[in-house]
Amino acid sequence: MKSAEEMGTIFPDAPGVLARTQEIAERCQLKLHKVDNPFPEFAVPEGHTIDSYFEEVCRADTRSGWRLRLRS
């Protein structure tokens, strides 16, 4: 994040834009709340850990993506 002064230095020809951006930011009412576990639960096949299954899925997807690009 940059301060208003830093943004003014970067965009010296657009002071109106900076003022409007500040007005919009002041109207935003965003509140973020901590989530205990933000990740969904995945069923892991027998014989895999979550890490080994993730690696297998990623590698399989990468190989299929390469095949698609090679056909193009």
Side-chain angles (χ1 to χ4, degrees):
M1 303 287 288
K2 296 192 183 316
S3 69
E5 293 78 24
E6 290 172 311
M7 293 301 287
T9 301
I10 295 170
F11 301 104
D13 298 330
V17 171
L18 297 176
R20 286 192 301 275
T21 300
Q22 182 64 37
E23 291 170 11
I24 292 168
E26 289 171 356
R27 287 187 275 161
C28 292
Q29 298 294 320
L30 176 66
K31 292 183 182 181
L32 299 176
H33 301 282
K34 185 176 183 328
V35 177
D36 290 331
N37 183 7
F39 303 106
E41 295 291 324
F42 291 98
V44 178
E46 183 96 16
H48 279 284
T49 65
I50 189 72
D51 293 330
S52 68
Y53 184 57
F54 178 70
E55 181 178 355
E56 181 177 297
V57 170
C58 290
R59 289 184 186 277
D61 188 54
T62 300
R63 285 191 295 271
S64 68
W66 286 339
R67 282 194 296 273
L68 290 174
R69 282 190 290 273
L70 290 174
R71 289 184 200 157
S72 298

